[in-house]
Amino acid sequence: MQTSVAGSSLWLAEWSDATERGDTRTAYYLGIYGVLGLIQAVFVTYGWYAMTRGNIKAAKSLHQKMLEQILHSPMSFFDTTPLGRILNRFSKDVDTCDATLQQTIRVVLTCGFTTISTLVIISVDGVNEQFIKESDDRLDLNNACFYPNVAANRWLSIRLEM
């Protein structure tokens, strides 16, 4: 998916450069941009499908293994453990697999692919030096705010201990 996003960004840059050169083939550039958008829609749809299918398979496997372990438990386990606790454990684990796991995996994958596509765009466009300079400037600005914050927190900590 991130490849198509990167392709769309590169195509918009090419379209912008062509417009500055006086190229007026708007339908041509818009058509290719539309195709890239459709490709992106296909990738997003397939990504959601694959993630949902994998999530269902993982939840089914988890539930099956938990059920197998519970059914093979000794009777003393059921004497000491209330049935409600067992049901709550099942529902909590399956809910975690259904909701939290899928979202976490999607965020990690999206972040990773976005980083890779950004690095590819930077290297393709040949703006390495500009990116490094802007990144250093923003890091300096962030650190300029960070260090006084740390110093103020340390001072406050010492004052509160007195």
Side-chain angles (χ1 to χ4, degrees), residues 80-112:
T80 59
T81 307
L83 188 58
R85 187 178 299 163
I86 296 170
L87 285 174
N88 283 340
R89 189 74 221 177
F90 264 72
S91 63
K92 171 88 169 90
D93 289 349
V94 172
D95 179 58
T96 299
C97 191
D98 286 344
T100 309
L101 189 62
Q102 181 179 9
Q103 187 67 23
T104 303
I105 290 172
R106 179 163 291 285
V107 166
V108 167
L109 288 175
T110 302
C111 184

Side-chain angles (χ1 to χ4, degrees), residues 11-12 17 21-22 31 38 50 53 55 69 74 95 99 101 111 116 127-128 141 161:
W11 187 251
L12 282 176
D17 291 342
R21 291 190 306 261
L38 287 175
R53 185 168 179 176
N55 193 32
Q69 291 297 317
D95 179 58
L101 189 62
C111 184
I116 291 170
V127 292
N128 291 343
L141 180 64
E161 289 178 7

Side-chain angles (χ1 to χ4, degrees), residues 15-80:
W15 187 0
S16 176
D17 291 342
T19 303
E20 288 178 5
R21 291 190 306 261
D23 192 352
T24 58
R25 298 179 299 170
T26 304
Y28 168 73
Y29 288 106
L30 188 59
I32 291 180
Y33 187 69
V35 168
L36 290 171
L38 287 175
I39 291 171
Q40 184 175 355
V42 167
F43 279 136
V44 167
T45 303
Y46 178 74
W48 274 107
Y49 171 76
M51 186 68 70
T52 303
R53 185 168 179 176
N55 193 32
I56 291 171
K57 189 175 181 179
K60 185 177 179 181
S61 174
L62 174 70
H63 187 269
Q64 188 66 31
K65 288 178 183 176
M66 286 190 325
L67 183 61
E68 187 177 308
Q69 291 297 317
I70 288 291
L71 291 178
H72 289 95
S73 296
M75 285 304 289
S76 61
F77 173 75
F78 294 103
D79 290 338
T80 59

Side-chain angles (χ1 to χ4, degrees), residues 113-125:
F113 286 130
T114 301
T115 302
I116 291 170
S117 67
T118 301
L119 293 174
V120 167
I121 288 175
I122 288 170
S123 63
V124 167
D125 282 347

